[in-house]
Amino acid sequence: MSTYGNVPSTPSPGLCPSCRSRPVAKGFKHCSRSCATGGRTAPSTPKPPPPPVPPPASSTTSTPSRLTAGPPVAIILTPLRRVPLCPVCEAKPPNPGFKHCSIECAIAEKAVKVAQPVNLIRMWLCETCGQKLSASGYKYCSPECSRKALSIEDTMSQLSISTTSTGPRKCIIEGCDKPEWKAGSKYCGNACRAFGVILQLDPACLLCETFPKMNRSYFCSASCSNKSLDNAPVLLSVPDGHQALKTVTDQWNKEWKHTPNPPQIRFMWLIVQNRALHNAFEARLQAIDASYKFKAEGMFPANERRRWHGTKRECTVGDPGTTPTGFCQSPTCSMCIVMQRSFDKEKCAAGSMFGKGVYTSGTSSKSHGYIKQVAPSKYRAMLMCRVLAGKAKKLTQADHNLIAAPTGYDSVRGVPGGGLNYDELIVYDNNQIRPLYLVIYDSS
């Protein structure tokens, strides 16, 4: 063992192993980040040995004192071992047991491996609860969520859902050979889920725009769904190529029955209203469906329909440059009022054909006739709505005195014939209709 005077070369307990001069920081192995990354090394030249201490003048004994300086001691300093660094950022040491210092660096390396760009690097949410950030390098926020995920995987494996004749299914990202992280997920983890959106293998969540949306949802997780309700009212842009936009465009073109040909849809926004309005609509849906069992007969619950509604827009909400909260505050802009607070049948014009209710139509060109654009714009705007038709009463003749659906019915369906040229669907309960999409299209 080499020595430095009478000081051992091995650092004393509690001293930084790199500089050997400062105590380690509490909870860490080194005194500072510089020493942790190899920036500071032990002194390259030895200090001079301490001066000899002369023996006492009165001493007559010939026994040598232990304080007498001996011959110079050769100093041999072994080179310090450099602390390994993250191979991507080359700035921080990797987390214990991992190759990288963070999940961001792990994702960046994976991007190079599969030759695809990464446009968004985010802190991932726990894949079980979707409420808390996952621990660094892990998919879950806590051991409890990890155990829940394992329990789900065990159940699905017993049902043989995640296996094929050759074994577990692999992640669908080309170049990744890892198995699905859970049955039916198609991906091995969050990094590949994000790549799936970049490669347009699945439509993105409309809120975070990072991960694929869940089936029968606009969002990737309960966390994003709850965030949208907590921030409501908001408008979320529906990107080109999204299945929802394709479906709406098909209905728009198919149900445009006037001349000339239907104008082209340019933009579409998902309308998210507050939690109270959302819950009231869902409660009404459950109540209607419980009475008639529409779902049991193969129909949509509560006989839900998608219908058009045209109204006045005093602003340019929905046009290019619109922000998620870009509603105008005009008390007479019907479009913004409906998107923020939903419909109110009391606003129905007096003398309407089927009384005081909220009117919609399956004919897009008919609803186009009711829009009114006040602010200068080369676009026009219309609402597509969720309407709970329930049990609808068919009428061909006007009934101006209706203020509620006929007894035993939930709505009125105006059938062409008599005094009506195109279909109408009227509800008399405000909780039976909600705006779903803001559709922006060419003015001509």
Side-chain angles (χ1 to χ4, degrees):
M1 178 186 298
S2 65
T3 61
Y4 173 59
N6 58 356
V7 180
S9 61
T10 302
S12 301
L15 289 182
C16 174
S18 295
C19 67
R20 306 184 183 186
S21 61
R22 297 184 182 182
V24 297
K26 187 176 181 181
F28 294 88
K29 296 181 180 179
H30 302 84
C31 65
S32 64
R33 182 177 296 178
S34 176
C35 280
T37 57
R40 183 181 296 152
T41 60
S44 58
T45 59
K47 295 181 179 179
V53 178
S58 61
S59 174
T60 59
T61 179
S62 62
T63 303
S65 172
R66 286 185 299 176
L67 298 178
T68 303
V73 178
I75 306 300
I76 302 175
L77 291 179
T78 57
L80 292 177
R81 184 178 179 181
R82 186 175 179 85
V83 178
L85 298 177
C86 171
V88 176
C89 66
E90 298 183 348
K92 300 178 182 178
N95 283 329
F98 291 89
K99 182 180 177 182
H100 305 89
C101 65
S102 64
I103 193 169
E104 288 84 354
C105 284
I107 293 171
E109 184 178 68
K110 193 163 192 175
V112 175
K113 181 179 178 181
V114 299
Q116 295 296 335
V118 176
N119 61 350
L120 291 173
I121 301 296
R122 297 175 181 266
M123 292 296 292
W124 311 125
L125 292 173
C126 172
E127 294 188 353
T128 299
C129 68
Q131 300 294 324
K132 299 178 182 179
L133 290 175
S134 58
S136 179
Y138 293 88
K139 296 186 289 187
Y140 313 105
C141 65
S142 64
E144 291 76 11
C145 281
S146 178
R147 284 193 291 269
K148 288 180 181 178
L150 290 175
S151 176
I152 294 173
E153 290 177 1
D154 290 342
T155 301
M156 299 305 286
S157 63
Q158 291 174 7
L159 297 175
S160 301
I161 294 179
S162 62
T163 59
T164 62
S165 57
T166 58
R169 294 178 179 149
K170 292 184 178 180
C171 176
I172 65 173
I173 298 296
E174 185 176 356
C176 179
D177 295 327
K178 296 181 180 179
E180 294 176 320
W181 82 275
K182 70 176 183 179
S185 65
K186 300 191 296 185
Y187 302 100
C188 63
N190 278 333
C192 282
R193 289 176 68 204
F195 283 128
V197 171
I198 295 171
L199 299 175
Q200 298 183 352
L201 301 178
D202 284 302
C205 169
L206 293 187
L207 185 67
C208 70
E209 299 180 344
T210 301
F211 299 127
K213 75 177 189 68
M214 299 183 294
N215 291 334
R216 300 182 182 180
S217 175
Y218 300 101
F219 307 103
C220 64
S221 63
S223 175
C224 278
S225 177
N226 288 330
K227 284 179 182 177
S228 68
L229 290 173
D230 292 339
N231 295 327
V234 293
L235 295 173
L236 301 178
S237 177
V238 180
D240 292 340
H242 198 283
Q243 184 58 43
L245 179 57
K246 294 178 182 178
T247 301
V248 170
T249 301
D250 289 343
Q251 185 174 347
W252 170 267
N253 294 331
K254 180 179 178 181
E255 300 300 331
W256 188 277
K257 298 179 180 179
H258 292 68
T259 55
N261 293 330
Q264 185 174 353
I265 293 177
R266 296 297 182 180
F267 314 102
M268 193 171 84
W269 302 80
L270 175 69
I271 303 166
V272 182
Q273 298 187 307
N274 64 49
R275 196 179 298 274
L277 291 172
H278 172 80
N279 291 344
F281 181 81
E282 293 298 325
R284 183 61 179 151
L285 182 150
Q286 297 296 332
I288 293 176
D289 196 64
S291 300
Y292 303 106
K293 308 294 184 183
F294 291 103
K295 186 175 180 180
E297 295 178 5
M299 303 171 67
F300 289 107
N303 195 17
E304 180 180 336
R305 303 290 177 174
R306 301 283 176 89
R307 291 293 183 264
W308 303 100
H309 180 85
T311 189
K312 179 173 67 174
R313 182 176 71 152
E314 293 185 352
C315 56
T316 57
V317 63
D319 287 9
T322 296
T323 63
T325 56
F327 308 102
C328 78
Q329 301 304 315
S330 171
T332 55
C333 181
S334 301
M335 182 69 72
C336 287
I337 291 174
V338 167
M339 289 192 293
Q340 295 179 87
R341 290 174 277 180
S342 196
F343 292 91
D344 182 1
K345 73 171 188 175
E346 298 302 324
K347 303 295 183 181
C348 179
S352 297
M353 187 169 184
F354 298 107
K356 184 177 289 186
V358 182
Y359 287 70
T360 59
S361 176
T363 305
S364 52
S365 55
K366 175 182 175 65
S367 296
H368 171 75
Y370 289 88
I371 68 168
K372 181 180 180 182
Q373 180 63 42
V374 178
S377 174
K378 65 178 182 178
Y379 302 108
R380 297 295 179 263
M382 192 183 300
L383 296 172
M384 170 165 269
C385 308
R386 297 178 65 186
V387 186
L388 304 181
K391 187 177 180 181
K393 175 70 172 180
K394 296 181 180 180
L395 295 178
T396 57
Q397 300 298 325
D399 188 344
H400 304 287
N401 298 321
L402 286 173
I403 58 174
T407 303
Y409 294 90
D410 303 298
S411 63
V412 166
R413 179 184 172 192
V415 180
L420 194 64
N421 295 323
Y422 300 96
D423 69 286
E424 289 185 347
L425 180 59
I426 306 94
V427 293
Y428 302 87
D429 184 330
N430 292 336
N431 288 326
Q432 283 182 231
I433 182 170
R434 290 289 183 266
L436 178 61
Y437 298 120
L438 172 62
V439 178
I440 305 298
Y441 56 99
D442 291 334
S443 60
S444 59

